[in-house]
CSV table of all heavy atoms in Angstrom, one decimal:
chain,number,residue,atom,x,y,z
R,47,ASP,N,-122.0,-191.8,8.2
R,47,ASP,CA,-122.8,-191.6,6.9
R,47,ASP,C,-124.3,-191.6,7.2
R,47,ASP,O,-124.8,-192.6,7.7
R,47,ASP,CB,-122.4,-192.7,5.9
R,47,ASP,CG,-123.0,-192.5,4.6
R,47,ASP,OD1,-123.8,-191.5,4.4
R,47,ASP,OD2,-122.7,-193.2,3.6
R,48,PRO,N,-125.0,-190.5,7.0
R,48,PRO,CA,-126.4,-190.4,7.3
R,48,PRO,C,-127.3,-191.0,6.2
R,48,PRO,O,-128.5,-191.1,6.3
R,48,PRO,CB,-126.6,-188.9,7.4
R,48,PRO,CG,-125.6,-188.3,6.4
R,48,PRO,CD,-124.4,-189.2,6.5
R,49,THR,N,-126.7,-191.5,5.1
R,49,THR,CA,-127.5,-192.0,4.0
R,49,THR,C,-127.5,-193.6,4.1
R,49,THR,O,-126.9,-194.1,5.0
R,49,THR,CB,-126.9,-191.6,2.6
R,49,THR,OG1,-125.6,-192.2,2.4
R,49,THR,CG2,-126.7,-190.1,2.5
R,50,GLY,N,-128.0,-194.2,3.1
R,50,GLY,CA,-128.0,-195.7,3.1
R,50,GLY,C,-129.0,-196.3,4.1
R,50,GLY,O,-130.1,-195.7,4.4
R,51,VAL,N,-128.7,-197.5,4.6
R,51,VAL,CA,-129.6,-198.3,5.4
R,51,VAL,C,-129.0,-198.3,6.8
R,51,VAL,O,-127.9,-197.9,7.1
R,51,VAL,CB,-129.7,-199.7,4.8
R,51,VAL,CG1,-130.3,-199.7,3.5
R,51,VAL,CG2,-128.3,-200.4,4.8
R,52,PRO,N,-129.9,-198.8,7.8
R,52,PRO,CA,-129.4,-198.9,9.2
R,52,PRO,C,-128.2,-199.9,9.3
R,52,PRO,O,-127.9,-200.7,8.4
R,52,PRO,CB,-130.6,-199.5,9.9
R,52,PRO,CG,-131.8,-199.1,9.0
R,52,PRO,CD,-131.3,-199.1,7.6
R,53,ALA,N,-127.5,-199.8,10.4
R,53,ALA,CA,-126.3,-200.5,10.6
R,53,ALA,C,-126.4,-202.0,10.4
R,53,ALA,O,-125.5,-202.6,9.8
R,53,ALA,CB,-125.7,-200.2,12.0
R,54,ASP,N,-127.5,-202.6,10.8
R,54,ASP,CA,-127.6,-204.0,10.7
R,54,ASP,C,-127.8,-204.5,9.3
R,54,ASP,O,-127.8,-205.7,9.0
R,54,ASP,CB,-128.7,-204.6,11.6
R,54,ASP,CG,-130.0,-204.0,11.3
R,54,ASP,OD1,-130.1,-203.0,10.6
R,54,ASP,OD2,-131.0,-204.6,11.8
R,55,LEU,N,-128.0,-203.6,8.3
R,55,LEU,CA,-128.2,-203.9,6.9
R,55,LEU,C,-127.0,-203.4,6.1
R,55,LEU,O,-127.0,-203.7,4.8
R,55,LEU,CB,-129.5,-203.3,6.4
R,55,LEU,CG,-130.8,-204.0,6.8
R,55,LEU,CD1,-132.0,-203.2,6.3
R,55,LEU,CD2,-130.8,-205.4,6.4
R,56,LYS,N,-126.0,-202.8,6.7
R,56,LYS,CA,-124.9,-202.2,5.9
R,56,LYS,C,-124.2,-203.2,5.0
R,56,LYS,O,-123.8,-202.9,3.9
R,56,LYS,CB,-123.9,-201.6,6.8
R,56,LYS,CG,-124.4,-200.3,7.5
R,56,LYS,CD,-124.5,-199.1,6.5
R,56,LYS,CE,-124.8,-197.8,7.2
R,56,LYS,NZ,-125.0,-196.7,6.3
R,57,ASN,N,-124.1,-204.5,5.5
R,57,ASN,CA,-123.3,-205.5,4.8
R,57,ASN,C,-124.3,-206.4,4.0
R,57,ASN,O,-123.8,-207.4,3.4
R,57,ASN,CB,-122.5,-206.4,5.7
R,57,ASN,CG,-121.4,-205.5,6.4
R,57,ASN,OD1,-120.8,-204.7,5.8
R,57,ASN,ND2,-121.2,-205.8,7.7
R,58,ALA,N,-125.6,-206.1,3.9
R,58,ALA,CA,-126.5,-206.9,3.2
R,58,ALA,C,-126.3,-206.6,1.7
R,58,ALA,O,-125.7,-205.7,1.2
R,58,ALA,CB,-127.9,-206.5,3.6
R,59,ASP,N,-126.9,-207.6,0.9
R,59,ASP,CA,-126.7,-207.4,-0.6
R,59,ASP,C,-127.6,-206.2,-1.1
R,59,ASP,O,-128.5,-205.7,-0.3
R,59,ASP,CB,-127.0,-208.7,-1.3
R,59,ASP,CG,-128.5,-209.2,-1.1
R,59,ASP,OD1,-129.4,-208.4,-0.9
R,59,ASP,OD2,-128.7,-210.4,-1.1
R,60,ALA,N,-127.5,-205.8,-2.3
R,60,ALA,CA,-128.2,-204.7,-2.8
R,60,ALA,C,-129.7,-204.9,-2.8
R,60,ALA,O,-130.4,-203.9,-2.5
R,60,ALA,CB,-127.7,-204.4,-4.3
R,62,ARG,N,-131.6,-206.6,-0.6
R,62,ARG,CA,-132.1,-206.4,0.8
R,62,ARG,C,-132.0,-204.9,1.2
R,62,ARG,O,-132.9,-204.4,1.8
R,62,ARG,CB,-131.3,-207.2,1.8
R,62,ARG,CG,-131.7,-208.7,1.7
R,62,ARG,CD,-131.0,-209.5,2.9
R,62,ARG,NE,-131.6,-209.0,4.2
R,62,ARG,CZ,-130.9,-209.1,5.3
R,62,ARG,NH1,-129.7,-209.6,5.4
R,62,ARG,NH2,-131.5,-208.6,6.5
R,63,ARG,N,-130.9,-204.3,0.8
R,63,ARG,CA,-130.8,-202.9,1.1
R,63,ARG,C,-131.8,-202.1,0.4
R,63,ARG,O,-132.5,-201.2,0.9
R,63,ARG,CB,-129.4,-202.3,0.8
R,63,ARG,CG,-128.3,-202.8,1.8
R,63,ARG,CD,-127.0,-202.2,1.5
R,63,ARG,NE,-126.3,-202.8,0.3
R,63,ARG,CZ,-126.1,-202.2,-0.8
R,63,ARG,NH1,-126.5,-200.9,-1.0
R,63,ARG,NH2,-125.5,-202.8,-1.8
R,64,GLY,N,-132.0,-202.4,-0.9
R,64,GLY,CA,-133.0,-201.7,-1.7
R,64,GLY,C,-134.4,-201.9,-1.2
R,64,GLY,O,-135.3,-201.0,-1.3
R,65,GLU,N,-134.7,-203.1,-0.7
R,65,GLU,CA,-136.1,-203.3,-0.1
R,65,GLU,C,-136.4,-202.3,1.0
R,65,GLU,O,-137.4,-201.7,1.1
R,65,GLU,CB,-136.2,-204.7,0.4
R,65,GLU,CG,-137.6,-205.0,0.9
R,65,GLU,CD,-137.8,-206.5,1.4
R,65,GLU,OE1,-136.8,-207.2,1.5
R,65,GLU,OE2,-138.9,-206.9,1.6
R,66,TYR,N,-135.4,-202.2,1.9
R,66,TYR,CA,-135.6,-201.2,3.0
R,66,TYR,C,-135.8,-199.8,2.5
R,66,TYR,O,-136.7,-199.1,2.9
R,66,TYR,CB,-134.4,-201.3,4.0
R,66,TYR,CG,-134.6,-200.5,5.2
R,66,TYR,CD1,-135.1,-201.0,6.4
R,66,TYR,CD2,-134.2,-199.1,5.2
R,66,TYR,CE1,-135.3,-200.2,7.5
R,66,TYR,CE2,-134.3,-198.3,6.4
R,66,TYR,CZ,-134.9,-198.9,7.5
R,66,TYR,OH,-135.1,-198.1,8.6
R,67,LEU,N,-134.9,-199.4,1.6
R,67,LEU,CA,-135.0,-198.1,1.0
R,67,LEU,C,-136.2,-197.8,0.2
R,67,LEU,O,-136.8,-196.7,0.3
R,67,LEU,CB,-133.7,-197.8,0.2
R,67,LEU,CG,-132.4,-197.8,1.0
R,67,LEU,CD1,-131.2,-197.9,0.0
R,67,LEU,CD2,-132.3,-196.6,1.8
R,150,ASP,N,-127.9,-195.5,-3.2
R,150,ASP,CA,-129.2,-195.9,-2.6
R,150,ASP,C,-130.3,-196.0,-3.7
R,150,ASP,O,-131.1,-197.0,-3.7
R,150,ASP,CB,-129.7,-194.8,-1.6
R,150,ASP,CG,-129.0,-194.9,-0.3
R,150,ASP,OD1,-128.2,-195.8,-0.1
R,150,ASP,OD2,-129.2,-194.0,0.6
R,153,ALA,N,-129.7,-199.3,-5.4
R,153,ALA,CA,-130.1,-200.4,-4.5
R,153,ALA,C,-131.6,-200.6,-4.7
R,153,ALA,O,-132.1,-201.8,-4.7
R,153,ALA,CB,-129.7,-200.2,-3.1
R,208,ARG,N,-129.3,-187.9,9.6
R,208,ARG,CA,-130.0,-189.1,9.2
R,208,ARG,C,-131.5,-188.8,9.1
R,208,ARG,O,-132.1,-189.2,8.2
R,208,ARG,CB,-129.7,-190.2,10.3
R,208,ARG,CG,-130.5,-191.5,10.0
R,208,ARG,CD,-130.1,-192.1,8.6
R,208,ARG,NE,-130.8,-193.4,8.4
R,208,ARG,CZ,-130.8,-194.0,7.2
R,208,ARG,NH1,-130.2,-193.5,6.2
R,208,ARG,NH2,-131.5,-195.1,7.1
R,211,TYR,N,-132.2,-186.9,6.0
R,211,TYR,CA,-132.1,-187.7,4.8
R,211,TYR,C,-133.4,-188.5,4.6
R,211,TYR,O,-133.9,-188.6,3.5
R,211,TYR,CB,-130.9,-188.6,4.8
R,211,TYR,CG,-130.7,-189.4,3.6
R,211,TYR,CD1,-130.3,-188.8,2.4
R,211,TYR,CD2,-130.9,-190.8,3.5
R,211,TYR,CE1,-130.1,-189.5,1.2
R,211,TYR,CE2,-130.7,-191.5,2.4
R,211,TYR,CZ,-130.3,-190.9,1.2
R,211,TYR,OH,-130.1,-191.6,0.1
R,216,LEU,N,-135.9,-189.6,1.2
R,216,LEU,CA,-136.6,-190.9,1.1
R,216,LEU,C,-138.1,-190.7,1.3
R,216,LEU,O,-138.9,-190.9,0.4
R,216,LEU,CB,-136.0,-191.9,2.1
R,216,LEU,CG,-134.6,-192.4,1.8
R,216,LEU,CD1,-134.1,-193.2,3.0
R,216,LEU,CD2,-134.5,-193.2,0.5
R,298,THR,N,-136.5,-199.0,11.3
R,298,THR,CA,-136.0,-199.3,12.6
R,298,THR,C,-136.3,-198.2,13.6
R,298,THR,O,-136.6,-197.1,13.2
R,298,THR,CB,-134.4,-199.5,12.5
R,298,THR,OG1,-133.8,-198.2,12.1
R,298,THR,CG2,-134.0,-200.5,11.5
R,301,ASP,N,-134.1,-195.2,13.2
R,301,ASP,CA,-134.4,-194.3,12.1
R,301,ASP,C,-135.7,-193.4,12.5
R,301,ASP,O,-135.7,-192.3,12.1
R,301,ASP,CB,-134.7,-195.1,10.8
R,301,ASP,CG,-133.4,-195.3,10.0
R,301,ASP,OD1,-132.4,-194.8,10.4
R,301,ASP,OD2,-133.5,-196.1,9.0
Side-chain angles (χ1 to χ4, degrees):
D47 186 351
T49 68
V51 294
D54 60 345
L55 287 175
K56 288 289 186 183
N57 296 323
D59 60 31
R62 286 190 63 203
R63 289 186 284 111
E65 180 179 13
Y66 185 90
L67 294 166
D150 286 353
R208 176 61 178 171
Y211 186 69
L216 293 171
T298 64
D301 275 354

